[in-house]
Every structure is written in structure tokens, then in C-alpha cells.
Amino acid sequence: MRKIIALLTIVILFVSCKEEVVNKPERLIEKDVMVDIMYDLSILEAIRNQNPASLDTFKINSRDYIFKKYKIDSAQFAKSNVYYASDYNEYKSMFEQISKRLEANTKSVDSLVKLQKKKKNPIIKKRAKQTKIGRDTIKLE
């Protein structure tokens, strides 16, 4: 009798673990699109934190912009977000994808900044030479 109860308990545990914690919403946003949305939101949040005036100048509300861009509403986004967050491993993989994209963009921006600095340096050196010769009255430091 004890063996039967133990076996039934184990079977019930395995069956109960397969059950979804959150029901799938009617208008679920696809996983790839959800990753794109969360990526865009992270970029806009970074802009808002680094330079809030830039978004205010153009009167951009990051959430409204995202909802219009992806043709979704706030309820659809919230329900989809809760659904994906209920599966920890899936949600973690989504954030890893976002993180990889952000790192790739950071590298490309850094390389562009380095190129821009290289382009500016010859001009500064040329002006410094002109200052030494006396062609310019303002000295650069």
C-alpha cells in the first residue's frame, strides 16, 4: 500500500509540473517580436536616462512609440510579458538575445566614435601648427 501511495505521489508531481502557470493570452505577441519590442524599449530607456531632453525635445513617449510601431496595445503587451515571464528559462533566453544585440551595437558605436575621433584629431593638429606659425591668433590647448 505504501509503495502505491508513493508511486501515485510521484506521478502526480510529474503531471502537475507540466501544467502552465499562466494561460496563453488570446493575442499573444510572437517571441521574436517580443524580443524586438523589449530591445527597443531598452534603447529608449537608455536614451531617456542619459539625455532626457532629447526625447522631450521631440515629444516622444517611449511606450506610445513602441505601441504604434508594433501595432499593439498596452494590455496585449502586458499579458504577453506576463506569459513569457512565467517561464523563467524562456524569459532568460529572451534577455540573453537582447543583451547580445546591445553588446553588438555598443561595439559598433564604439568603433564609430573612434573613427570620428581620428577624423577630428588631424584638424586639431593642423590648427595647432598654424597657431605656432602665427597664422591664427587663437591658441588651442
Side-chain angles (χ1 to χ4, degrees):
M1 185 70 168
R2 283 185 173 176
K3 290 182 181 180
I4 294 173
I5 292 174
L7 183 62
L8 285 174
T9 304
I10 292 172
V11 169
I12 290 172
L13 284 174
F14 280 118
V15 171
S16 66
C17 290
K18 299 290 181 184
E19 211 173 299
E20 290 183 355
V21 177
V22 177
N23 294 332
K24 187 175 179 179
E26 278 184 32
R27 299 183 311 150
L28 179 68
I29 300 170
E30 294 179 28
K31 181 184 172 188
D32 295 335
V33 176
M34 191 70 174
V35 169
D36 291 341
I37 291 170
M38 292 181 351
Y39 171 79
D40 287 348
L41 280 173
S42 65
I43 295 290
L44 288 170
E45 288 298 315
I47 291 170
R48 185 176 359 149
N49 289 332
Q50 291 296 317
N51 189 4
S54 64
L55 293 178
D56 292 339
T57 301
F58 298 107
K59 297 179 182 170
I60 297 173
N61 182 338
S62 57
R63 296 244 182 224
D64 291 340
Y65 173 76
I66 294 297
F67 296 152
K68 285 180 184 177
K69 179 179 178 182
Y70 291 98
K71 298 176 182 154
I72 60 172
D73 58 22
S74 60
Q76 182 182 10
F77 174 74
K79 288 178 183 177
S80 296
N81 194 35
V82 168
Y83 176 76
Y84 287 118
S86 68
D87 183 3
Y88 172 76
N89 292 327
E90 191 70 27
Y91 209 55
K92 182 180 175 185
S93 73
M94 291 169 69
F95 274 99
E96 288 171 353
Q97 289 176 11
I98 294 166
S99 181
K100 286 178 185 176
R101 284 175 65 181
L102 289 171
E103 288 175 19
N105 281 347
T106 301
K107 289 177 184 177
S108 64
V109 168
D110 287 345
S111 65
L112 289 173
V113 168
K114 286 179 184 178
L115 284 173
Q116 188 67 24
K117 284 182 180 179
K118 285 182 181 178
K119 287 181 180 179
K120 286 185 177 181
N121 284 340
I123 295 171
I124 292 172
K125 289 178 183 177
K126 186 177 180 181
R127 285 185 182 171
K129 286 180 182 178
Q130 289 176 349
T131 305
K132 288 179 183 176
I133 296 173
R135 294 182 185 166
D136 196 87
T137 58
I138 300 173
K139 292 184 178 180
L140 297 176
E141 296 180 348

